[in-house]
Amino acid sequence: MPVVNQEMIRNTNRRLVLEYIVNNPPISRADLAKQLQLTKATISNIVQELLDRNLILEIGSAKTAMGRKPILLEFHKHCGYALAIDVRPRQIITLITDLKGENCQVTEYPFSSDENLLPLLEEIIAGHIENCRDTSYGIVGIAIGIYGVVQENQIVFTPYYPLPDPHLGLLLSEKFNIPVLVENESNFSVLGESAFHYGYENMIHINIHDGIGMGILINEELYKGHDGYAGELGHTILFPEGKPCACGNEGCLEQYASERAILEEYACRTGRETVTAEEFLEDYQQKLPETKEMMDLFVKYMAIGINNVVNTFNTDLIVLNSFFSNCIPDINRRIVEYLSRHQNRDCKIIPSRLQDISCLIGGIRVCTEHFLDIRHLQIQTLSPDLENS
């Protein structure tokens, strides 16, 4: 057999073994051989290599009624850190975790559109690197979620803050000698949610904030289109010749159903300059009639948008992530009821489990997969006590 084929087979087997250990701990060498249908010698060689690289650990023996007790293996999730950065229109949020997305620490930084993003990120990243020198590998990867269009790690378009340097990821990677992966925040979000809801091969995640973004998984693979613009649900037309949009079109969905649009319209109807999401929620709980009107519009407009998504993709699962649907319990149910009256396709629609950190968890997942050279990282637990600083 040619050497190149032998190396390819060995790399494939190593990837299979490591991914199985990562997602199914603890497990013995014998069970690995059985589950992956590889020889015991192959498993033994690969396991020793992974032990030497400090990527897995032997954690003791399994209990058996008789015979030699097998030694159990698990992924050494504390051998390094992953760093995810969510660049929002008015703030930057970072998440640093171990390589299984656990032991989380969230930090928030102010950010305004007149700031130069590159030196600000350099300062943030340098601080995290300094705090992560206590492991074998340090920070193994950095993921940056951008509100806009990204293609092949280059930023193409940002509607709600000035376009950063298109080669932001490359510049940061060269400065810190760490892989930096830049992606649309909704694409990271769908990868984050799917790390939990990993039984679904076809899945869509809709983020509603200043705009409306959509991450798409088809056969467990991120779908971006030929130039990165797939998933721009907020820029589909709801009303021809309607309100002007930052994208250059008129009547886009996000000019009517985004969190920003709903709050601006509510402020206008109640004679205020601005209204925060928290203020809106307080008014809604007090049953002010204008809040009901706004939520009726939100349900109607989002149901129309989701109806188009269901008819286009016929997906298994839609995760809806918005302040309104996360904080007002019946919003999702009302959207589903509206949809059921207007189409007969069955699609499961659920609220986001990750909410504000869906983009960040997706970034953590991508960093770990890239470092380990595996395809799917499953995250089965979410720390209830995220540490803020």
Side-chain angles (χ1 to χ4, degrees), residues 249-261:
N249 287 323
E250 297 176 340
C252 291
L253 176 64
E254 67 183 43
Q255 296 304 316
Y256 299 88
S258 66
E259 179 183 316
R260 173 186 49 81

Side-chain angles (χ1 to χ4, degrees), residues 181-199:
L181 309 169
V182 182
E183 187 53 89
N184 168 270
E185 52 92 25
S186 291
N187 287 341
F188 273 152
S189 289
V190 74
L191 292 171
E193 289 285 352
S194 70
F196 288 90
H197 305 289
Y198 44 82

Side-chain angles (χ1 to χ4, degrees), residues 161-190:
Y161 43 73
L163 181 69
D165 190 303
H167 303 286
L168 181 72
L170 178 62
L171 294 172
L172 290 170
S173 180
E174 290 177 343
K175 179 176 179 62
F176 295 108
N177 196 29
I178 298 173
V180 177
L181 309 169
V182 182
E183 187 53 89
N184 168 270
E185 52 92 25
S186 291
N187 287 341
F188 273 152
S189 289
V190 74

Side-chain angles (χ1 to χ4, degrees), residues 300-373:
K300 177 182 177 180
Y301 294 154
M302 283 311 306
I304 291 171
I306 292 173
N307 179 69
N308 293 336
V309 170
V310 172
N311 284 328
T312 302
F313 291 99
N314 192 28
T315 190
D316 301 325
L317 175 70
I318 293 179
V319 177
L320 187 60
N321 185 25
S322 79
F323 175 86
F324 304 122
S325 58
N326 292 337
C327 296
I328 302 176
D330 69 335
I331 292 296
N332 263 33
R333 175 186 57 79
R334 291 174 58 191
I335 290 174
V336 172
E337 288 177 352
Y338 188 100
L339 283 167
S340 67
R341 295 195 299 269
H342 294 83
Q343 54 119 331
N344 59 6
R345 288 175 177 81
D346 181 27
C347 176
K348 187 175 183 181
I349 302 174
I350 64 173
S352 171
R353 178 176 180 181
L354 299 174
Q355 299 187 11
D356 285 347
I357 63 165
S358 60
C359 166
L360 294 165
I361 289 293
I364 296 296
R365 172 186 171 177
V366 170
C367 287
T368 298
E369 289 176 345
H370 185 268
F371 171 66
L372 299 177
D373 190 25

Side-chain angles (χ1 to χ4, degrees), residues 225-238:
H226 80 276
D227 60 359
Y229 278 83
E232 290 295 312
L233 177 63
H235 297 296
T236 56
I237 305 299
L238 184 64

